Amino acid sequence: MAEIKYEIKESIGSISQSPKGWNKELNLISWNGKEPKFDLRDWAPDHEKMGKGLTLTIDEVKALRDLLNGLEL
């Protein structure tokens, strides 16, 4: 299996932290040298390990924002 290369271009923020110290973070990440995308996933404190996550384009982030803004929380 090929190694996955990533570069965190911008750390936007942390949403939560697990008891084991992993943070659920929203970041702007370039995967394998491609155009950066918004990325939401769990990260180990040193960013050396990661959990499964979700990557979104700017248009998808805007659509998600609009959906969330329509909720009554």
Side-chain angles (χ1 to χ4, degrees), residues 2-4 6 8 12 14 18 22 24-28 31-32 35 37-38 40 42 46 51 54 57 63 69 71-72:
E3 181 182 350
I4 298 172
Y6 64 91
I8 298 175
I12 297 169
S14 179
S18 76
W22 284 50
K24 189 173 308 274
E25 299 179 11
L26 179 63
N27 296 302
L28 193 59
W31 295 98
N32 296 318
E35 185 72 25
K37 291 186 179 182
F38 290 92
L40 182 63
D42 291 327
D46 57 6
L54 177 70
T57 65
N69 283 339
L71 293 177
E72 289 188 33

Side-chain angles (χ1 to χ4, degrees), residues 6-18:
Y6 64 91
E7 181 181 356
I8 298 175
K9 297 289 190 175
E10 182 180 347
S11 180
I12 297 169
S14 179
I15 295 172
S16 64
Q17 186 175 60
S18 76

Side-chain angles (χ1 to χ4, degrees), residues 45-61:
D46 57 6
H47 285 128
E48 291 296 318
K49 294 182 181 179
M50 66 188 88
K52 290 184 179 179
L54 177 70
T55 59
L56 302 167
T57 65
I58 187 67
D59 290 334
E60 291 169 330
V61 168

